[in-house]
Amino acid sequence: MRDWKSAFLAISSGDLYGGAPIMVLDIVDRGISTSSGCLMLRYGAASLILLPGALRAGKRPSGAQLLGTAAAGLLMALTAVCLYTSYLWLPAGTGMAISYLYPLVIVLAGRWWSRKRYSGWVRAAEGLFLAGMLLLSDVSALPEGAGAGLAFALLSALSYAGLLLWEERRNLGE
């Protein structure tokens, strides 16, 4: 029974994550709120939902962990703001697809900063990843002024990769 529940929760989480940009665009188009307002509500609600569990855990974070977490929060905010800003010039699916370049950025950062050596399988995966992204990209279908949207979507990928690298280096998962 537990496996079904876990699978259901994982699929639901993915659906909500993928549907969030569509909902935000609809809310902004209707004039109900701005993308920044939607982000504040989204992350504020998540914080309130997760707060009781964090308090029950009983661990008090150190000052360094609090500062590291605040920096991670800023990187996450930058990621979300850049992604939603890219939707001003790009279709949501295109902006989201570009933001998924973050795994490639993480692998490249590991190669450059940590001097990691990757196997041929990782290099093959990098090549397949880039080939897939290029095949999914139809530059001719992009609207006028899409360059700014592409830049914001790419910045979103870079800041999210930075967030994940930061969390790993600072051991913020603890």
Side-chain angles (χ1 to χ4, degrees):
M1 182 66 173
R2 180 174 166 84
D3 290 334
W4 285 101
K5 182 180 177 183
S6 298
F8 173 76
L9 291 174
I11 291 169
S12 298
S13 174
D15 286 343
L16 290 172
Y17 184 75
I22 296 166
M23 289 184 278
V24 167
L25 288 174
D26 187 49
I27 290 168
V28 171
D29 285 346
R30 292 174 189 235
I32 297 170
S33 182
T34 63
S35 58
S36 299
C38 290
L39 286 172
M40 287 178 53
L41 289 172
R42 178 179 172 192
Y43 291 115
S47 298
L48 291 175
I49 291 169
L50 295 173
L51 183 62
L55 293 175
R56 267 196 306 270
K59 284 185 166 180
R60 292 218 172 249
S62 68
Q65 285 175 321
L66 285 175
L67 286 175
T69 303
L74 289 174
L75 283 170
M76 188 63 210
L78 178 64
T79 299
V81 167
C82 286
L83 182 60
Y84 290 144
T85 302
S86 75
Y87 299 158
L88 295 173
W89 295 281
L90 295 175
T94 304
M96 183 63 85
I98 292 168
S99 75
Y100 277 106
L101 284 172
Y102 76 87
L104 184 62
V105 174
I106 289 173
V107 169
L108 293 174
R111 185 177 294 146
W112 291 329
W113 290 329
S114 303
R115 307 264 188 242
K116 288 184 181 178
R117 293 265 183 206
Y118 293 111
S119 70
W121 288 107
V122 173
R123 290 185 181 144
E126 287 176 324
L128 288 172
F129 183 81
L130 279 175
M133 289 299 288
L134 289 173
L135 289 172
L136 286 172
S137 303
D138 183 6
V139 179
S140 65
L142 293 178
E144 193 170 322
L150 292 170
F152 276 107
L154 187 58
L155 185 56
S156 172
L158 292 172
S159 61
Y160 192 65
L163 167 69
L164 295 177
L165 291 168
W166 175 261
E167 287 177 343
E168 180 184 355
R169 294 232 173 190
R170 300 288 180 190
N171 198 20
L172 294 179
E174 181 184 316

